Amino acid sequence: MTSGVRALLVVAALTGGFAPGAGAQPAPGVEFRLVAAGRVRPIFAAGVADTGIAVGAFRLAARPVTNAEFLRFVAANPAWRRTRAPRVAVDSSYLRHWSGDLTLGPNAPPAAPVVNVSWFAASAYAAWAQGRLPTTLEWELAASRFHRALGNDPERLNLRVLEWYGSATRAVLPDAGHGMASDDGVRDLHGLVWEWVEDFNAVVTSGESRGDSGPDAGLFCAGGAALAADPSNYAAFMRYALRGSLRGSYTLATLGFRVARDAEPGKGNR
Amino acid sequence: MTLRASRLRRGAGAAAIAAVLAAGAMPWRAAAQAAPLPARSLYRLKATWTSHTGRPVELPSLRGETVVLAMVYTSCTMTCPLITGEMQAVRRALPADVRPKVRFVLASFDPDRDSVAALRAHASKMSLDDRWLVLRAPAGDVRQLAVLLGVRYRKLPDGDFDHSNIISVLDAGGVLRHQSPRIPADRAALVRAVTAAARSPGS
Amino acid sequence: MSGSTPRPTAWRRLPLLAALAAVPAYVACSPGGEGDPLADRPSGPLPVETLVVASAPAVPKPITRRSPAKLIVNLETHEVRKRLADGVEYTFWTFGGSVPGPMLRIRAGDEVEFHLNNHPSSKMPHNIDLHAVTGPGGGAASSFTAPGHSSVFSFAALNPGLYVYHCATAPVGMHIANGMYGLILVEPKDGLPKVDREFYVMQSEFYTTGRFGQAGLQPFSMEKALHEDPEYVVFNGSVGALVGDNALKARVGETLRLYVGNGGPNLVSSFHVIGEIFDHVYTEGGTVANQRNVQTTLVPAGGSAIVDMKLEVPGTFILVDHSIFRAFNKGALGMLKVEGADNKVVYSGKQNDLVYLPEGGAVQAVPENGAAPERELPREELIARGKQVFTANCTACHQLEAQGVPGAFPPLAGSDFLMANKERAIGVVMHGLTGEVTVLGKKYNGVMPMLQLTDGDIAAVLSYVRTNFGNKASDIVSLAEVRKVRAAAAAKPGAGVR
């Protein structure tokens, strides 16, 4: 097929069913950084070797998606506007910090990270932006690399992250793109917002409303620390706990996302 | 996502493009159709699954029937056979007028190993008749369905899965009416929910 | 926390046989030998009530119902920045916006429909583990709630007793260390013996990066928490929550009951009320008053005790953790003010006073090495530092407004004793004070400990106190003046005001 037809097909296939052919081009603003391959040792370590799990190289947006960028997305895809998005895909606080369907307002500075977005909405945006959400392992790999900024001291990183987790939420978030840069040049991985990952529901917890104890149930009581790879890694515990508490339609005032791409087409981690 | 990739590979002609556009593209189905889907219908998620008979199955094609749905993988030797067995027991326990109106669906976590042939072998082994559908889809669509249902899962290094043992009941409009979170399930509650859904169908 | 009873599984990784053998977690049982707790349930639906909770130190009213009810409980988890001590703030994670969370009071056999609502501004998911619940995780598994969302679960109160509830989201220690705990009382079916007055007191500790009293917003210190070395040990969530105007108040002749909880997360409390004896103790929060005449009762972390006492004499009774440095230096101090007529038979007041100085009893303080050399500070800076020193070291006895405690600790506010002699005041802070003093016409006879303040701290705190609380000194106390007093004392060992 011609490249033009292919482009049309891509847009139609990725923007969701509500506005086929809207034809909006994704925002070019964000830079993608190559995150080099590495190994991740998940906090749930059962069945995983001490050396962790190999994660291939991938590309990750240098900062989270902003309000202004998400506004362009909903402008091009009316079905994802605040009043129209399907209730099975977003809860009632979807984009609640915006003033209107197409108005950001005082609580949503254009350059601040977009929050109050569901996993489904974030996934649709990522597809529209010709990418995807990072996997948990990809995100954790990218977020563990601060040797340059913090002198190769994982304890310093842990403390820094805890400081954010332990502070109260700000009503209006600061702009994205100014946080500490990782060794790969990715910013704001810690200290700005939580971020959606593609497989957030891989945390096999007792989190579901009427659930029972699962293999990761230890994440929710003290006894389970015995199952964890590093019980003193409070920051990782908290990220996994948060992911475990989520459902795909949930939107949170502190939860945003960023876009990932495969390092080369067809060579992904998924 | 994988489905998109495969569609692009398959979509080598204008007809295919038209088909994708007409279908409203994925992953969300337009609300405005002949008879609109309920706002909370799971069938708004548009993905094409393949059944154990090799037939393409779009979830909205299940509209009009009460559906008992679970996610499993066919090489599972632990709770998945129990889930299937529970669904069979629920079916046996349904009132006679309700039983023919109910569809039983197993969706696989495991697109790598659950080929159509594997699904067919599983259906045969478990003696699943034509009221059953055993489905597979690319990994991205599996994830979307699981997220919609609140099913949690992860693939283990040995190829097996940790997963929720949730059995879901959908009404005729594809709206979630009941979920049994564990095995053994509260069978009486499942039977009551299926019966209620079948006798007062959603839109 | 969940027991070891096999139970249904929501997960795949369960051997087939174990899954088949699984039985429901609610096993018929007879807690406390009191018969089937659900025996008096009516055949029809239970009457529905919305549970009224109480903020510490208040306790919900005793239950007068003599039949079970279905109770609707709404509890919000909220992360809030509040005062931990004067000048010190902390980001608390709370149930209901305060530490401790509200006290819940229900009756054995009641059914509770629990709604846990996590405020949208929360960064963390939270849940609740009620030790009163029989079921996996005490409700933790079913109440795990993302920010801006709600969970509902139900339980039947099988076992009467006084129970701790707390958040059990990973990392559980941090959720508790940040303030997520409270008490739920499950009354026995026939209630507890009647008393005249009841209060809710909960001890807990806080691990801050800065040392005790260091001003500003203090982050959580994971390192100190791991070493179980708190900066603050407090009653009801902050230093001074139960002193001064916030003291517990009662009258002579009343019977008093304290529902005492310990949120921990680490320390066991040696709970003691100075000058009182507990007539009855329901050890560890059980429903049998199994001890009489107890001076100090242990309250485990994640546990409780109920203590009853008859108030025979008036006065201010001090609640402490008798691991006493926690009381003097970390904040574990509260007050019970009892008003009414004296009873000289029970307590005479002071009848005689003699100085006791054993041979060689003088203590030599060794100057600390390595501290930065101190310098004279500009007046404003000096007084600001003095305020911090005062808050951290003096308010436990002299109170927040320096008004003192009648009969126990003399006031510094408007104090003639303080203002009359600057050198004497320096000496008192430097060396402590034992023996009778007259302040504003009233005699006090107690002990002021030697506080181990640096000379700079002494200059600062005296400069602050002598220019505040109605004291109108025009001059400050300089470092040089303090050093002069120290030098004089060193030249004349045994002098000072000891």
Side-chain angles (χ1 to χ4, degrees):
Chain A
M1 81 183 81
T2 69
S3 59
V5 171
R6 182 184 292 271
L8 175 64
L9 178 59
V10 166
V11 169
L14 300 185
T15 50
F18 303 98
Q25 289 303 311
V30 69
E31 183 188 351
F32 281 78
R33 306 296 301 235
L34 185 73
V35 177
R39 301 187 78 85
V40 174
R41 191 160 180 230
I43 194 84
F44 52 86
V48 174
D50 281 356
T51 51
I53 300 172
V55 180
F58 66 103
R59 289 187 297 152
L60 189 60
R63 56 161 172 75
V65 173
T66 63
N67 284 309
E69 288 167 338
F70 205 78
L71 179 64
R72 282 201 283 278
F73 167 66
V74 299
N77 298 275
W80 284 108
R81 288 176 194 172
R82 199 167 72 172
T83 54
R84 297 198 209 172
R87 281 298 147 205
V88 72
V90 298
D91 68 16
S92 58
S93 53
Y94 177 54
L95 295 175
R96 71 197 289 260
H97 64 303
W98 287 17
S99 292
D101 265 13
L102 294 170
T103 319
L104 296 183
N107 293 326
V114 68
V115 289
N116 291 315
V117 286
S118 72
W119 179 84
F120 289 111
S123 300
Y125 177 99
W128 175 76
Q130 299 177 19
R132 56 179 174 80
L133 296 178
T135 67
T136 303
L137 290 174
E138 286 174 339
W139 196 97
E140 291 289 330
L141 176 67
S144 67
R145 288 216 179 109
F146 288 88
H147 301 164
R148 210 174 297 150
L150 294 173
N152 201 17
D153 182 352
E155 191 51 35
R156 278 179 69 194
L157 178 61
N158 201 18
L159 288 176
R160 207 177 158 114
V161 173
L162 283 182
E163 209 171 295
W164 176 71
Y165 292 164
S167 64
T169 300
R170 300 199 215 183
V172 178
L173 292 169
D175 288 354
H178 302 290
M180 182 173 61
S182 75
D183 299 347
D184 301 305
V186 181
R187 291 186 182 272
D188 300 329
L189 286 158
H190 302 292
L192 189 60
V193 287
W194 301 103
E195 297 183 17
W196 281 110
V197 288
E198 183 190 66
D199 54 344
F200 75 95
N201 67 335
V203 181
V204 183
T205 65
S206 52
E208 59 197 281
S209 58
R210 294 145 300 167
D212 207 326
S213 54
D216 292 348
L219 289 174
F220 303 95
C221 54
L227 300 172
D230 177 4
S232 67
N233 192 345
Y234 277 27
F237 263 118
M238 284 188 265
R239 285 195 295 274
Y240 278 83
L242 183 90
R243 289 171 196 145
S245 77
L246 299 171
R247 295 188 64 134
S249 62
Y250 280 14
T251 70
L252 272 59
T254 51
L255 177 58
F257 70 102
R258 72 178 76 215
V259 178
R261 290 176 181 159
D262 293 349
E264 296 169 50
K267 286 199 172 178
N269 283 312
R270 301 174 312 135
Chain B
M1 297 198 170
T2 326
L3 178 59
R4 285 171 204 127
S6 68
R7 282 202 161 173
L8 287 174
R9 282 194 295 276
R10 278 190 287 127
I17 298 168
V20 170
L21 292 176
M26 65 156 312
W28 296 96
R29 170 166 293 269
Q33 290 197 338
L37 285 164
R40 293 182 184 279
S41 175
L42 269 52
Y43 300 155
R44 285 175 172 258
L45 175 68
K46 188 186 175 320
T48 302
W49 293 68
T50 307
S51 81
H52 59 292
T53 61
R55 184 164 63 87
V57 175
E58 295 202 16
L59 293 182
S61 71
L62 302 172
R63 244 184 125 171
E65 295 182 303
T66 301
V67 171
V68 181
L69 168 66
M71 298 186 75
V72 298
Y73 65 105
T74 69
S75 49
C76 173
T77 54
M78 296 193 182
T79 57
C80 301
L82 297 177
I83 293 173
T84 309
E86 183 61 41
M87 291 164 71
Q88 288 171 316
V90 166
R91 187 179 177 200
R92 284 193 296 272
L94 288 173
D97 65 308
V98 167
R99 204 175 302 142
K101 297 182 190 167
V102 181
R103 174 75 67 178
F104 292 84
V105 180
L106 298 174
S108 171
F109 289 113
D110 192 1
D112 289 346
R113 294 187 298 186
D114 278 342
S115 62
V116 168
L119 300 183
R120 194 186 307 120
H122 187 69
S124 159
K125 182 176 143 203
M126 302 297 290
S127 309
L128 307 180
D129 65 14
D130 62 1
R131 294 304 293 165
W132 287 76
L133 286 171
V134 190
L135 303 177
R136 72 177 303 284
D141 296 315
V142 173
R143 180 71 64 187
Q144 296 247 349
L145 179 65
V147 171
L148 264 188
L149 292 170
V151 168
R152 295 180 170 272
Y153 69 101
R154 67 165 176 248
K155 194 169 185 170
L156 301 170
D158 63 4
D160 279 341
F161 290 80
D162 275 338
H163 60 84
S164 314
N165 292 327
I166 292 175
I167 300 175
S168 302
V169 178
L170 310 185
D171 68 16
V175 176
L176 201 55
R177 294 283 285 264
H178 178 81
Q179 285 193 312
S180 159
R182 66 178 69 86
I183 290 291
D186 181 345
R187 189 172 304 158
L190 270 170
V191 169
R192 271 198 307 277
V194 174
T195 304
R199 287 183 177 159
S200 61
S203 59
Chain C
M1 294 285 172
S2 54
S4 59
T5 314
R7 53 176 188 266
T9 179
W11 306 100
R12 179 201 66 93
R13 290 167 91 190
L14 181 81
L16 195 54
L17 282 175
L20 290 170
V23 295
Y26 277 77
V27 185
C29 60
S30 303
E34 295 170 23
D36 179 358
L38 304 181
D40 63 348
R41 284 168 73 94
S43 51
L46 295 174
V48 177
E49 291 178 19
T50 298
L51 188 71
V52 178
V53 303
S55 295
V59 173
K61 289 198 177 91
I63 293 167
T64 50
R65 266 188 295 113
R66 285 296 168 258
S67 58
K70 177 175 176 175
L71 303 169
I72 313 294
V73 179
N74 268 287
L75 195 54
E76 183 183 64
T77 54
H78 199 174
E79 298 162 9
V80 291
R81 181 174 163 171
K82 291 177 86 162
R83 173 190 171 279
L84 174 58
D86 284 342
V88 183
E89 297 211 312
Y90 192 80
T91 302
F92 295 94
W93 298 353
T94 72
F95 288 104
S98 64
V99 179
M103 181 162 166
L104 281 50
R105 185 170 197 156
I106 63 176
R107 177 179 175 272
D110 284 347
E111 187 181 316
V112 177
E113 181 183 298
F114 207 104
H115 298 246
L116 190 74
N117 310 311
N118 192 359
H119 195 275
S121 67
S122 295
K123 278 210 179 75
M124 296 292 149
H126 297 297
N127 63 7
I128 189 166
D129 171 354
L130 297 126
H131 290 176
V133 171
T134 309
S142 308
S143 61
F144 186 45
T145 309
H149 292 81
S150 296
S151 297
V152 185
F153 68 100
S154 294
F155 65 90
L158 300 183
N159 303 56
L162 179 61
Y163 297 94
V164 167
Y165 65 78
H166 64 90
C167 181
T169 299
V172 61
M174 188 171 171
H175 284 254
I176 295 176
N178 283 345
M180 301 197 76
Y181 36 76
L183 290 180
I184 175 169
L185 173 64
V186 183
E187 281 194 16
K189 291 197 165 175
D190 299 323
L192 290 167
K194 249 184 87 70
V195 290
D196 298 314
R197 210 175 278 277
E198 300 181 315
F199 289 113
Y200 165 22
V201 175
M202 194 147 193
Q203 179 173 327
S204 59
E205 69 265 10
F206 288 89
Y207 300 86
T208 55
T209 308
R211 64 175 170 79
F212 182 86
Q214 192 170 321
L217 177 65
Q218 289 295 329
F220 166 70
S221 166
M222 187 174 144
E223 194 190 357
K224 289 176 185 172
L226 288 178
H227 288 103
E228 307 189 9
D229 181 19
E231 292 295 331
Y232 296 86
V233 182
V234 297
F235 293 123
N236 288 2
S238 64
V239 175
L242 291 180
V243 303
D245 291 345
N246 302 321
L248 307 177
K249 294 178 186 73
R251 296 201 56 82
V252 169
E254 288 180 337
T255 46
L256 177 78
R257 177 172 294 150
L258 299 180
Y259 295 100
V260 185
N262 184 3
N266 290 319
L267 303 184
V268 169
S269 172
S270 301
F271 185 73
H272 178 82
V273 177
I274 299 176
E276 262 298 347
I277 294 157
F278 306 141
D279 299 324
H280 296 106
V281 175
Y282 298 72
T283 307
E284 293 166 4
T287 45
V288 179
N290 59 333
Q291 265 293 17
R292 284 169 173 270
N293 304 322
V294 173
Q295 57 193 309
T296 299
T297 193
L298 274 179
V299 189
S304 70
I306 304 172
V307 299
D308 291 353
M309 63 201 96
K310 169 102 177 163
L311 303 172
E312 281 102 352
V313 295
T316 298
F317 298 85
I318 308 289
L319 283 57
V320 295
D321 180 341
H322 214 295
S323 297
I324 205 71
F325 279 82
R326 300 176 190 167
F328 251 97
N329 302 92
K330 297 187 171 186
L333 193 139
M335 282 182 180
L336 167 66
K337 288 186 178 171
V338 180
E339 294 184 345
D342 282 342
N343 183 338
K344 292 289 182 193
V345 176
V346 177
Y347 185 72
S348 68
K350 193 163 197 93
Q351 291 168 308
N352 202 347
D353 181 58
L354 303 167
V355 172
Y356 173 64
L357 271 182
E359 290 295 317
V363 176
Q364 288 196 328
V366 180
E368 205 175 320
N369 293 321
E374 296 191 295
R375 58 184 176 85
E376 299 284 0
L377 297 175
R379 181 186 174 103
E380 267 183 37
E381 210 177 310
L382 182 71
I383 287 176
R385 176 171 165 192
K387 184 175 182 185
Q388 285 180 27
V389 176
F390 177 79
T391 303
N393 296 285
C394 312
T395 51
C397 297
H398 292 292
Q399 305 302 302
L400 296 174
E401 296 302 324
Q403 75 272 31
V405 174
F409 307 119
L412 303 174
S415 166
D416 49 356
F417 183 82
L418 169 69
M419 302 303 286
N421 184 335
K422 196 195 262 191
E423 277 182 22
R424 178 176 68 185
I426 294 170
V428 168
V429 177
M430 190 177 287
H431 303 294
L433 175 68
T434 303
E436 187 174 284
V437 293
T438 301
V439 180
L440 298 174
K442 292 202 173 112
K443 286 188 183 355
Y444 294 84
N445 203 328
V447 175
M448 172 162 161
M450 185 165 74
L451 288 162
Q452 302 285 9
L453 297 176
T454 65
D455 289 352
D457 282 343
I458 293 171
V461 74
L462 280 169
S463 298
Y464 171 68
V465 174
R466 285 167 47 89
T467 55
N468 281 281
F469 309 115
N471 300 323
K472 299 200 167 57
S474 53
D475 59 332
I476 51 113
V477 175
S478 71
L479 183 56
E481 286 172 301
V482 176
R483 284 179 172 160
K484 201 174 129 198
V485 171
R486 175 134 2 239
K492 213 168 60 168
V497 204
R498 299 194 64 83

